Amino acid sequence: MSLSPHPAGGPVDLVVRHPRERRSKCSLEPLRGRPDIQFLTSGPGFTFDATGFVLLRVDAPLLSREDGALPLLLLDSTWRLLPSLLRSLTGDPVPRSLPPGIRTAYPRKSKVNPDPVRGLASVEALYCARRLQNRPVDGLLEAYRWRESFLRQFEK
């Protein structure tokens, strides 16, 4: 699959959603239709060549502005379903991490599995990653219910 270029010439980020992820709960859903973000839904037999995309991981080097020309690959899934989504990736993505001090504002309440301490809502991760890459963040958090609470940590 090839991504269409962003009209402003910047990278086009990709969101791959697990089919069992509820769109009504997805923090990225309000961003559908933006020219700088494309959405795919995985399913049986789905594979994606992630070569050249930044894939966020906790155990990777820190994302920086030197990575600014690289598109982000966001995997939208519950933490429990994430391993199956990761298995659908082929190729050689660029592993990067976000700073460890960033905390989610999303009120998580998993009754089955604990959420990782450094886990962020997908839109929070997108916002942070683009800031680190020195890319535009305009409008990313506009519809995010916990925007103000999340942004307070950057005022310090």
Side-chain angles (χ1 to χ4, degrees):
M1 151 178 210
S2 66
L3 298 177
S4 57
H6 181 270
V12 174
D13 298 325
L14 180 65
V15 175
V16 177
R17 188 178 66 81
H18 192 283
R20 290 179 50 200
E21 177 70 6
R22 291 177 35 198
R23 285 177 66 172
S24 64
K25 296 274 188 186
C26 177
S27 62
L28 294 169
E29 199 59 30
L31 303 178
R32 277 188 187 271
R34 286 178 58 124
D36 56 340
I37 303 171
Q38 291 189 0
F39 289 79
L40 294 177
T41 301
S42 69
F46 175 86
T47 60
F48 180 77
D49 181 357
T51 301
F53 282 84
V54 168
L55 183 62
L56 298 175
R57 302 178 56 94
V58 173
D59 58 349
L62 192 64
L63 185 65
S64 71
R65 62 180 40 198
E66 284 76 35
D67 300 309
L70 299 175
L72 299 166
L73 174 58
L74 297 166
L75 302 179
D76 194 38
S77 170
T78 63
W79 292 106
R80 184 176 62 83
L81 298 172
L82 186 59
S84 68
L85 204 48
L86 283 167
R87 285 191 296 273
S88 70
L89 301 181
T90 63
D92 192 23
V94 179
R96 292 290 184 264
S97 67
L98 299 175
I102 300 171
R103 297 289 180 247
T104 188
Y106 189 87
R108 298 183 285 193
K109 300 178 213 164
S110 176
K111 295 175 183 153
V112 180
N113 296 307
D115 291 316
V117 173
R118 289 181 61 188
L120 300 176
S122 297
V123 74
E124 294 171 340
L126 174 63
Y127 176 86
C128 290
R130 282 197 176 181
R131 273 187 62 162
L132 288 168
Q133 288 180 299
N134 199 33
R135 291 178 52 206
V137 295
D138 301 340
L140 291 179
L141 297 176
E142 189 172 306
Y144 185 51
R145 183 176 176 182
W146 298 277
R147 171 185 64 235
E148 296 305 321
S149 177
F150 178 68
L151 289 175
R152 268 188 227 117
Q153 67 187 307
F154 298 104
E155 295 170 359
K156 301 171 186 174

